[in-house]
């Protein structure tokens, strides 16, 4: 149930935007001028008609109470989710009850709402005990898994030989070889049904001629790829958690098998990364009672935002189940018991020294781990030559910011929030440095998204 007396902030709404252009366009529609017949329900839906360039207004509706975050429907032709009209409607709703009063949904909105509720009931029934696959289906799935494992083993064996040939011939000629060599090897790993190996090979291809010291970086990544190959080939001798990590890193699909943990989950950060094939959304959660940090991953086709969206700074009471593997940080969002709502809760923080130690400890369970989620308790962003670092206010230590951070507006938002005073910062700490994703001021106040 949506608490109609509790409204999201404008920043939390705009955090749902798929890109900067949508944020700008949605902000222009956040006033009452273009809207008519706007209303909301106690069940967590908001609707309205937005005047466009045509004779008919766009019918826009948002389901705020959806378990996977807000769901959207708009009659406009935009392929972005949410579109600017959905963002504008949410901004209007966030401004106060007067602009979007509680009302009875019109027929066009009620049809969509009823359809969503019916689909949710059907899915719940399909997921209930007794609806799983029968013995014949299980046998077929086991045979498919065995065939795929054989193909991955053949691919990993071939990749080992290619790495051996590469190192035997030396790295001097790699820069002139071009990217085609790496893409051809990656394609072979795709044929072997090992997308994780293919992705790491493509990353290797971007290292040659990438700046001073690239041979060292290439050798390091080749060593990690060799370690993953050997992990797969010797997976039967590994501890269960490490074997599960290897399977996931190679690219085998896994399911959340951990027991559901019911908690009030604070949404720490949400950001997207994209390549030519896929858009990946990462959402970090912190369990208020369990003190666990969980990562939700969702995917969308290239150019389209994933459906799962949870505004930063809200809490939701829900069940979360962990995936297998070292660290067990990735999780699946299960049953939700209340709509996301604003909160003054902040996650506990650690020192910069403890943050670096935590990453080192995590590497024992997952040697291929790029970073770990960490909340720094009291740090100050300070310049360090041409780069920046987070200096610990209570220790003579600091964490460098990752190079990519220096070109993002979030850095200047963090500097402005700090004003030279200590702030609490959540982010990802790894071998390249610290990437800030959200921050809280020293005085009481909401989270500020930095990504």
């Amino acid at each position: 149930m949506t608490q109609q007396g509790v409204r999201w902030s404008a920043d939390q709404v705009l955090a749902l935007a798929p890109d900067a252009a949508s944020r700008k366009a949605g902000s222009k529609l956040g006033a009452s001028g273009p809207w008519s017949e706007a209303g909301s329900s106690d069940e967590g839906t908001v609707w309205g008609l937005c005047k466009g360039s045509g004779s008919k207004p766009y019918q826009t509706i948002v389901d705020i109470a959806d378990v996977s975050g807000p769901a959207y429907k708009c009659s406009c032709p935009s392929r972005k989710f949410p579109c600017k009209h959905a963002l504008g409607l949410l901004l209007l709703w966030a401004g106060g009850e007067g602009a979007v009063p509680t009302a009875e949904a019109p027929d066009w909105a009620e049809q969509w709402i009823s359809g969503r509720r019916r689909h949710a009931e059907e899915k719940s029934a399909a997921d209930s005990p007794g609806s799983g696959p029968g013995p014949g289906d299980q046998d077929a799935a086991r045979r498919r898994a065995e065939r795929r494992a054989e193909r991955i083993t053949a691919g990993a064996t071939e990749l080992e030989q290619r790495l051996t040939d590469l190192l035997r011939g030396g790295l001097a000629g790699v820069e002139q070889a071009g990217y085609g060599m790496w893409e051809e090897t990656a394609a072979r790993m795709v044929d072997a049904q090992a997308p994780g190996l293919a992705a790491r090979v493509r990353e290797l291809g971007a290292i040659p001629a990438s700046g001073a010291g690239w041979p060292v970086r290439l050798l390091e990544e080749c060593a990690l790829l060799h370690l993953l190959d050997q992990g797969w080939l010797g997976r039967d001798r590994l501890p269960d958690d490490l074997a599960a990590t290897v399977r996931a890193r190679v690219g085998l699909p896994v399911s959340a098998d951990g027991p559901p943990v019911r908690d009030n989950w604070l949404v720490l950060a949400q950001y997207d990364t994209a390549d030519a094939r896929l858009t990946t959304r990462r959402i970090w959660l912190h369990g208020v009672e369990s003190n666990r940090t969980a990562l939700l991953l969702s995917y969308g086709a290239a150019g389209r935002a994933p459906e799962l969206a949870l505004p930063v700074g809200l809490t939701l009471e829900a069940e979360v189940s962990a995936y297998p593997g070292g660290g067990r940080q990735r999780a699946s969002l299960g049953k939700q018991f209340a709509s996301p709502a604003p909160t003054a809760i902040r996650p506990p923080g650690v020192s910069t020294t403890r943050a670096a130690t935590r990453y080192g400890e995590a590497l024992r369970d997952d040697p291929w781990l790029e970073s770990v989620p960490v909340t720094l308790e009291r740090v100050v962003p300070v310049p360090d030559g041409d780069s920046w670092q987070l200096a610990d206010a209570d220790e003579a230590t600091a964490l460098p910011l990752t190079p990519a951070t220096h070109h993002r507006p979030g850095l200047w938002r963090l500097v402005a929030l700090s004003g030279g005073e200590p702030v609490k910062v959540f982010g990802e700490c790894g071998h390249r440095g610290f990437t800030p994703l959200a921050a809280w001021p020293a005085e009481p106040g909401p989270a500020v998204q930095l990504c």
Side-chain angles (χ1 to χ4, degrees):
M1 298 290 288
T2 297
Q3 304 173 46
Q4 290 298 315
V6 180
R7 303 280 163 159
W8 297 359
S9 69
D11 284 343
Q12 289 165 338
V13 172
L14 292 175
L16 301 171
D19 51 41
S22 297
R23 281 194 291 273
K24 182 176 180 181
S27 298
K28 294 179 180 179
L29 297 175
S32 58
W35 294 96
S36 61
E37 299 183 28
S40 61
S41 73
D42 290 335
E43 286 72 34
T45 51
V46 185
W47 59 84
L49 300 176
C50 186
K51 183 179 180 182
S53 57
S55 58
K56 294 182 63 177
Y58 296 121
Q59 298 175 339
T60 308
I61 182 170
V62 182
D63 183 358
I64 306 167
D66 187 83
V67 66
S68 60
Y72 318 94
K73 173 69 174 179
C74 186
S75 59
C76 75
S78 174
R79 296 184 63 187
K80 295 181 180 180
F81 293 95
C83 67
K84 63 180 182 181
H85 306 102
L87 290 170
L89 179 61
L90 283 178
L91 287 171
L92 186 67
W93 168 78
E97 294 185 12
V100 185
T102 302
E104 183 176 348
D107 290 342
W108 59 269
E110 182 59 37
Q111 290 178 4
W112 186 75
I113 296 170
S114 299
R116 287 189 59 78
R117 301 293 184 260
R118 185 169 57 253
H119 176 72
E121 292 172 359
E122 292 172 352
K123 185 178 185 301
S124 178
D127 293 340
S128 62
S131 60
D137 295 332
Q138 293 175 352
D139 289 342
R142 178 180 53 79
R143 289 193 295 271
R144 287 195 298 271
E146 290 173 351
R147 288 195 296 269
R148 181 170 185 179
E150 291 172 357
R151 297 187 68 172
I152 295 175
T153 296
T157 302
E158 178 182 348
L159 183 56
E160 279 293 277
Q161 184 59 54
R162 292 188 178 217
L163 288 174
T164 300
D165 293 342
L166 172 67
L167 297 178
R168 182 180 292 119
L171 302 181
V174 173
E175 190 172 3
Q176 287 75 35
Y179 189 75
M181 173 187 70
W182 305 102
E183 185 57 40
E184 190 270 335
T185 303
R188 294 289 296 166
M189 296 306 103
V190 171
D191 292 341
Q193 294 184 292
L197 294 179
R200 298 191 76 90
V201 170
R202 290 192 178 97
E203 291 172 1
L204 290 180
I207 297 177
S210 61
W214 69 261
V216 174
R217 294 194 298 275
L218 180 60
L219 189 60
E220 290 173 347
E221 294 301 322
C222 284
L224 285 172
L225 184 54
H226 165 70
L227 184 64
L228 182 55
D229 269 344
Q230 290 299 312
W232 171 262
L233 296 174
R235 61 192 181 281
D236 293 339
R237 301 187 299 274
L238 297 178
D240 291 344
D241 278 351
L242 184 55
T245 298
V246 168
R247 288 193 292 270
R249 291 291 183 184
V250 165
L252 282 177
V254 293
S255 300
D257 63 354
V261 177
R262 181 171 178 174
D263 204 339
N264 287 307
W265 297 93
L266 172 63
V267 183
L268 295 173
Q270 172 182 293
Y271 67 95
D272 295 348
T273 57
D275 56 28
R277 301 170 178 81
L278 201 65
T279 298
T280 302
R281 173 163 295 167
R282 300 167 66 88
I283 301 177
W284 285 109
L285 304 177
H286 170 73
V288 176
E289 300 296 331
S290 62
N291 199 32
R292 291 177 56 178
T293 304
L295 173 64
L296 306 180
L297 293 179
S298 60
Y299 304 94
R304 295 178 68 91
E307 289 188 6
L308 181 63
L310 298 173
V312 173
L314 300 186
T315 56
L316 65 156
E317 185 180 0
E319 291 180 341
V320 165
S321 299
Y323 279 80
R328 302 180 72 87
Q329 287 176 344
R330 187 187 172 191
S332 172
L333 182 62
K335 185 176 181 181
Q336 184 175 334
F337 302 96
S339 302
T343 182
I345 296 173
R346 300 182 179 191
V350 300
S351 67
T352 54
T353 300
R354 178 58 191 153
T357 301
R358 185 173 293 180
Y359 176 58
E361 293 170 346
L363 288 175
R364 293 181 302 190
D365 297 323
D366 184 354
W368 307 276
L369 192 64
E370 291 287 332
S371 60
V372 293
V374 174
T375 300
L376 301 176
E377 184 60 47
R378 283 168 39 84
V379 291
V380 181
V382 295
D384 179 27
D386 294 332
S387 58
W388 284 77
Q389 61 183 1
L390 294 178
D392 198 305
D394 302 313
E395 297 181 353
T397 56
L399 285 176
L401 296 185
T402 52
T405 304
H406 305 150
H407 309 293
R408 296 174 182 169
L411 170 61
W412 307 114
R413 203 173 299 136
L414 175 60
V415 172
L417 179 69
S418 167
E421 297 297 322
V423 291
K424 175 173 284 193
V425 182
F426 169 77
E428 297 172 348
C429 181
H431 62 95
R432 293 186 177 91
F434 187 90
T435 300
L437 301 176
W440 295 261
E443 299 297 327
V448 174
Q449 185 166 344
L450 305 175
C451 50

